[in-house]
Amino acid sequence: MPRYLSVLLITLVVAGNTSSAHQGERVCTPEQWEAVVVGKVAEQSQGKFYIVDVVGKAAADYGRGVIGLSESVFSQGQYVGSYLYLNTKSASYLADVVNKNCQKLPPVTVEQPCSDSSWLTYRTSWLVGGTQWSDTYQHNNGSSKTTVTVMRDNFAMISENVEHVIGGVPQLVTLQYGNMTKGITDPSIFNIPSYCNI
């Protein structure tokens, strides 16, 4: 099949299905989940542009209002460091695990994403592997814009793109989620490091 016909067919399938994400029963990301995460972080600071690779593990417990991301960071294939991002109901923490430094930040409200969440705006749908649908949503929060893609049948996260400014530095974070499972097998990802007790 010629390439332009394939693109046209995909476009028609997506266009014909854009309203079905709002039909049917309510579907939510599991209340507790863990996943493997890979991605990139890009930022521009002092006239220079930086891109690093991220590999790690993410977990959420929406009942407790916590999200954790434990990551190793690489620049041009070289290990840069290990970091923990932890958001609790009372504060957020960005910890440099190797150097044992920690920044305490204001908390971010953590809500369980669902197909009918009022804070998510539906954008588009895609047919994945010819058999399953994924849906893309957007959330704007002040200077931060987040776009998430989820599987329609179970609302499992596939990817997340975040555009925000941290300390005056614009940043783009792109994460891919894999091996997402219900429940928490390693709750230590939610432990606030002792050196973060600021």
Side-chain angles (χ1 to χ4, degrees), residues 73-147:
V73 178
F74 300 85
S75 177
Q76 299 179 346
Q78 299 296 314
Y79 174 76
V80 173
S82 295
Y83 302 90
L84 172 68
Y85 172 75
L86 179 62
N87 187 81
T88 68
K89 288 182 178 180
S90 59
S92 291
Y93 301 91
L94 181 57
D96 179 336
V97 177
V98 175
N99 296 311
K100 301 204 180 314
N101 295 327
C102 189
Q103 293 178 4
K104 186 175 181 181
L105 307 166
V108 176
T109 303
V110 176
E111 294 182 54
Q112 183 179 13
C114 296
S115 56
D116 63 351
S117 294
S118 61
W119 50 276
L120 288 175
T121 303
Y122 169 75
R123 291 295 179 212
T124 190
S125 298
W126 300 96
L127 189 59
V128 179
T131 58
Q132 293 184 307
W133 285 97
S134 68
D135 298 315
T136 299
Y137 295 84
Q138 188 172 337
H139 169 61
N140 294 328
N141 184 11
S143 64
S144 176
K145 180 172 85 172
T146 302
T147 304

Side-chain angles (χ1 to χ4, degrees), residues 21-22 25-31 33 62 111-117 119-122 132-138 148-159 177 180 182:
H22 301 289
E25 66 184 62
R26 179 178 200 247
V27 183
C28 297
T29 300
E31 186 170 340
W33 60 265
Y62 297 113
E111 294 182 54
Q112 183 179 13
C114 296
S115 56
D116 63 351
S117 294
W119 50 276
L120 288 175
T121 303
Y122 169 75
Q132 293 184 307
W133 285 97
S134 68
D135 298 315
T136 299
Y137 295 84
Q138 188 172 337
V148 296
T149 300
V150 297
M151 295 304 298
R152 179 174 298 167
D153 62 347
N154 61 7
F155 225 71
M157 300 266 283
I158 299 172
S159 67
Y177 293 84
M180 184 181 231
K182 286 183 181 181

Side-chain angles (χ1 to χ4, degrees), residues 6 10 13 21 24 36 41 49 57 65 98 113 137 142 150 164 167 169 181 194:
S6 297
I10 290 169
V13 168
V36 173
V41 177
F49 193 69
K57 176 181 173 182
V98 175
Y137 295 84
V150 297
H164 58 190
V169 177
T181 57
S194 60

